[in-house]
Amino acid sequence: YEPFISSVERRSSSTIVVSWSDATRGRYLDQVWRAGYARAAGFCGLTGIPVRRGDVVFRPLLRGGVAPVNAFDMILADRVPGAAVER
């Protein structure tokens, strides 16, 4: 199953708020994602475009040392309107 992202809102230049759901992994409403660098190759959850290791991406923020089920999902930063994250 592919995750479905129903909304992305910019909170600051380095954070976004994402509403995300997946038929098998659950649902997050208003989950905070932080900018960083891709640690591994993958795919952008918003566009499906390939992500290369080192690309600037947004990833779910860890809270209280607990990784959410979508901890390894990524959104390419240059695909988020108004997110001026530089490399």
Side-chain angles (χ1 to χ4, degrees):
Y1 291 97
E2 295 283 328
F4 175 72
I5 296 174
S6 59
S7 71
V8 176
E9 296 178 23
R10 183 175 62 110
R11 179 179 265 183
S12 71
S13 63
S14 63
T15 58
I16 58 176
V17 177
V18 176
S19 291
W20 176 99
S21 63
D22 181 287
T24 60
R25 296 188 287 163
R27 178 178 175 170
Y28 292 99
L29 297 176
D30 301 328
Q31 183 183 38
V32 178
W33 292 37
R34 178 171 289 160
Y37 297 102
R39 296 179 188 145
F43 293 91
C44 175
L46 191 60
T47 64
I49 294 172
V51 174
R52 296 176 317 224
R53 186 173 187 261
D55 283 348
V56 180
V57 296
F58 286 96
R59 292 187 309 260
L61 184 64
L62 302 178
R63 296 256 181 200
V66 177
V69 296
N70 63 346
F72 296 106
D73 288 6
M74 300 177 278
I75 295 175
L76 284 164
D78 65 1
R79 300 300 172 178
V80 177
V85 178
E86 296 195 20
R87 213 176 161 159

